[in-house]
Amino acid sequence: MMGRRGLSSLNLTFLGTASAQPSLTRNHSALALRLNSDVWLFDCGEATQHQVQRSKVKMGKIEKIFITHTHGDHIFGLLPLLASMLNGAGGTADGVEDPRIHMAQNSPDPIEIYGPFGTRAYVRNGLKYTHTLLGAPYVVHELRLPSDPPDGDYISLALHAFESPNGRNIPQTNGVWSDVYHDTIVSVSAAPILHSVPCIGYVITEAPVPGKMDPAKYIPHLKRTKTPMSIMSCLQQGESIELSDGTMLQGPLKRPGRKLVILGDTYDPSPIAELASSADLLVHEATNAHLPALDTHTKAEDTFESVEARTKSRGHSTPQMAGAFAARIEAKQLVLNHFSARYPGNDDVEPTAKTIMEGIARLAEEHYSGKITCARDFMSFDVDVLPQEHA
């Protein structure tokens, strides 16, 4: 697992930005979050492993996979990816022992999968009935709603040979799942969001980070008292140091770490609003839009109101709805995602596609004044720490 001392790099790479059906320019949903060199995936639609291979994301660095919901366009790529990641290709003839069984028994920490009720059964059934063996273990943690059974998996199959028995069924507390994962550097919490099936939004929060330090405020005191300069590392962490002459030096106060909110499909993410407050970046779906002057597929009878009503009836959002939620939680940046196949994903090279995606962004701007980006496959950018004055 990760032995991070801090996050020098936090990067998002969109591997798939389509909704329902893929197109020639958009693959099914998947997003890679790179924490230094480690990788966490959020959703894993069909052909995600192909997208990983075409990107700069390293498959061997994937540690965790977070599933928002079990619709196929968000999970059908999970089993093939596991097979590729964990040496799952091929098998052995009758009477021949597969050496991977012993490899798995001596493997380090398993690949962790988080998802709603049903994720564990889906993975176990899929591996069982495709006769898939693996060369390393995995574990599934399910985020259980109050309406879900607290125990059991609704599956009669025994654990897969490579499935860790340590999978947790995580109950809600006060309507959210707090710290489903955490270490000293980063934590993940989650909350349900409203869709046509149980769906989850995830909040990734970096622990408070050291403030920016002005060495000139400390070095003269250290030299005067002949204190080792190695003390600067303690001050950088915000510690208080008493020098030999009684002088107290206080390192810069820590500042909040970065917060990312990654939502699954939703027509109303209100249950996650408090948890998502003041996000540095919000990823929100925008499946359908009314673009009468730009989209040739626009129906004559359509209006902004009718498109929103139809979109919500299918469990999804428009750009205006995404913009309104970004404003509500005071997000610093909004990334629109999960677009209908009618909206092409080659707007970086095709003028008509660019015009359409700019039109979608303008709809979100009606309700949100921050930075707006329309995601496309393989778009990648760093989530930077905001500048701070010297302490």
Side-chain angles (χ1 to χ4, degrees), residues 40-116:
W40 295 355
L41 286 188
F42 290 81
D43 282 335
C44 194
E46 179 185 344
T48 291
Q49 68 169 320
H50 290 277
Q51 299 292 91
V52 171
Q53 291 168 346
R54 295 175 60 196
S55 74
K56 294 183 179 180
V57 176
K58 296 185 183 299
M59 188 178 297
K61 293 292 186 178
I62 297 173
E63 289 188 340
K64 305 181 193 303
I65 302 171
F66 297 86
I67 301 298
T68 63
H69 62 296
T70 55
H71 273 156
D73 58 324
H74 293 256
I75 200 172
F76 278 167
L78 179 56
L79 299 182
L81 180 71
L82 284 177
S84 292
M85 287 172 54
L86 305 181
N87 189 28
T92 57
D94 288 345
V96 180
E97 184 179 61
D98 194 311
R100 287 174 293 185
I101 294 176
H102 301 292
M103 291 170 58
Q105 292 171 349
N106 299 312
S107 293
D109 296 317
I111 296 296
E112 290 191 295
I113 302 167
Y114 295 80

Side-chain angles (χ1 to χ4, degrees), residues 266-287:
T266 185
Y267 67 89
D268 182 5
S270 293
I272 204 173
E274 184 175 351
L275 204 61
S277 178
S278 301
D280 291 279
L281 185 142
L282 167 66
V283 179
H284 195 301
E285 68 131 294
T287 303

Side-chain angles (χ1 to χ4, degrees), residues 341-368:
R342 68 198 290 178
Y343 307 129
N346 58 345
D347 53 296
D348 55 332
V349 296
E350 211 285 315
T352 301
K354 181 178 180 181
T355 299
I356 290 174
M357 299 316 296
E358 288 175 345
I360 288 174
R362 283 194 298 273
L363 293 177
E365 288 173 357
E366 294 177 6
H367 298 274
Y368 175 69

